[in-house]
Amino acid sequence: MMALRSGPPPAVAWIGGVDGYLRLLDQTLLPGTVETIDCRTVEQVWEAIRALRVRGAPAIGVAAAYGVVVGCQSARAGSPSAFAARLEQTLDYLASSRPTAVNLFWALDRLRRAAGAMPASATAADVLERLWREAQAIEAEDRQMCAAIGRWGAPLLSGCGGVLTHCNTGGLATAGEGTALAVIIAAARNNPRLRVYADETRPLLQGARLTTWELLQRGIDVCLICDAMAAWVMQQRRVQAVIVGADRIAANGDTANKIGTYGLSVLARAHGIPFYVAAPSSTFDRALPDGSRIPIEERPAAEITQPFGRMIAPEGCPTYNPAFDVAPAANITAIITERGVIQPVQAEQIDRVLSAAV
Ligand code: MRU
């Protein structure tokens, strides 16, 4: 087994005790500048999520959980009812930061339930402490889920010379080694010849800026391509699998992920190449029967007309900028979770695997 080098600095870290603060790696500056930002107010956390300083579904969930703690710290000396009001306000506020990644709402819901389960005698400080512990648990569990996803998924890539991935699903997008990238990292340990084709991922270039940065640091063979090259890379048989992460998976397996994922799923099917999704159970939203009701975030026009500050379209040119799309379950060969591999991708199989003990 090959020893790989270590990955990037943590995307999300809590500094100090219950009165501490949230430290985020500012991903908008990568790879050129490695800088952290310290969030001591919930407004800073909200802005960091909205602006993609912290991004990737699991990392958004962890950041939001700690954001709740930051948002409630100032209410710790007050009455329990004032604290409860502050908590509700903070949860609602953070829920408005981004709409698609369900891990955000999942994490906020966990904190709401943790506070709701406190005894009536609990003080505001007790509840704050409980929220902090729950946020820490979410972070620790995410790390474990990443490791388990890597273990389950690696055998699926064992015979591959090349694999294609989209967006960034690694240590920058989670508290651990990632989802799809954890699978790639685990597979590369046994198969050092594995070459990763990383889509640049227009318009915000998570693939070009982040995935290549992570993989190069780890000593994994990575080759950057423009999104439009994926079809040709498949046609040339340079890849034997496609693997992506997810922002929200409906009960039937329809999967929302970074814009471009739907197209890749169609291309993979057309070329007879397996298309894998890797995601923790926190990314499933089984309240939605299928992908048609997954809310798709639309982002500002400037992200496509003026990427990274340079005007590349005529002033005032109309745009459509959905940040995500939905790959239908029928195009997905398997979904790799921390509880096992879901194949075929159907509601009953999803229920069966997700109800298995970890
Ligand atoms: O807009 P982003 O950068 O937050 O989008 C991220 C993705 O689409 C990832 O593929 C997804 O969150 C999975 S991360 C493990």
Side-chain angles (χ1 to χ4, degrees):
M1 187 189 286
M2 190 175 82
L4 297 172
R5 295 198 294 272
S6 63
V12 183
W14 182 262
I15 308 297
V18 67
D19 285 323
Y21 55 90
L22 179 62
R23 176 165 289 168
L24 300 172
L25 185 61
D26 187 345
Q27 298 188 35
T28 62
L29 304 177
L30 293 174
T33 305
V34 182
E35 217 167 84
T36 56
I37 39 171
D38 293 341
C39 301
R40 292 185 164 84
T41 69
V42 69
E43 288 79 12
Q44 286 174 305
V45 179
W46 187 96
E47 190 278 337
I49 295 173
R50 173 73 124 215
L52 275 63
R53 299 185 200 288
V54 60
R55 44 142 305 280
I60 291 172
V62 176
Y66 282 127
V68 174
V69 179
V70 167
C72 291
Q73 283 167 333
S74 61
R76 77 177 305 179
S79 69
S81 61
F83 187 90
R86 175 72 189 155
L87 173 60
E88 277 310 312
Q89 195 188 5
T90 305
L91 292 167
D92 288 349
Y93 176 59
L94 286 168
S96 69
S97 56
R98 290 190 77 189
T100 303
V102 78
N103 307 60
L104 169 69
F105 307 97
W106 170 87
L108 296 176
D109 197 50
R110 261 185 72 160
L111 266 64
R112 179 181 279 117
R113 281 188 282 119
M118 291 295 282
S121 57
T123 64
D126 294 336
V127 184
L128 182 68
E129 173 87 20
R130 179 72 189 84
L131 292 172
W132 178 54
R133 299 263 173 231
E134 192 68 11
Q136 287 179 306
I138 289 172
E139 180 186 352
E141 286 167 30
D142 188 59
R143 200 166 296 125
Q144 288 162 6
M145 289 194 282
C146 290
I149 288 170
R151 284 195 297 274
W152 281 110
L156 299 174
L157 300 187
S158 62
C160 296
V163 60
L164 179 81
T165 192
H166 191 63
C167 197
N168 172 265
T169 61
L172 294 169
T174 63
E177 283 194 337
T179 57
L181 229 53
V183 174
I184 288 173
I185 292 164
R189 284 195 183 104
N190 293 316
N191 177 9
R193 287 154 53 107
L194 182 68
R195 167 167 267 212
V196 184
Y197 286 85
D199 272 355
E200 61 176 348
T201 317
R202 275 276 284 153
L204 296 181
L205 305 185
Q206 290 91 332
R209 296 187 302 108
L210 310 177
T211 299
T212 57
W213 191 67
E214 282 200 36
L215 291 177
L216 287 170
Q217 283 180 52
R218 289 184 183 277
I220 294 175
D221 182 10
V222 60
C223 176
L224 174 65
I225 58 168
C226 301
D227 298 345
M229 298 169 188
W232 191 240
V233 164
M234 290 186 206
Q235 196 278 344
Q236 292 184 316
R237 299 282 149 196
R238 287 172 184 263
V239 294
Q240 289 73 46
V242 177
I243 186 163
V244 298
D247 286 83
R248 196 184 289 228
I249 303 174
N252 71 341
D254 288 353
T255 295
N257 188 52
K258 180 53 55 192
I259 190 76
T261 299
Y262 167 57
L264 287 178
S265 78
V266 173
L267 288 173
R269 197 181 173 136
H271 289 89
I273 293 171
F275 183 89
Y276 299 118
V277 170
S281 50
S282 51
T283 302
F284 285 76
D285 182 356
R286 287 185 287 164
L288 298 184
D290 59 49
S292 63
R293 282 195 272 153
I294 296 177
I296 301 292
E297 176 181 14
E298 283 187 41
R299 296 199 50 94
E303 287 181 358
I304 53 178
T305 57
Q306 209 175 339
F308 305 97
R310 169 138 189 248
M311 199 73 192
I312 60 161
E315 189 80 44
C317 176
T319 60
Y320 173 47
N321 184 18
F324 300 94
D325 57 25
V326 179
N331 288 357
I332 302 171
T333 310
I335 303 178
I336 304 148
T337 76
E338 81 278 12
R339 288 160 195 258
V341 177
I342 299 167
Q343 185 174 16
V345 179
Q346 289 167 355
E348 309 70 48
Q349 193 66 2
I350 291 174
D351 287 344
R352 203 182 63 73
V353 172
L354 291 190
S355 53
V358 191

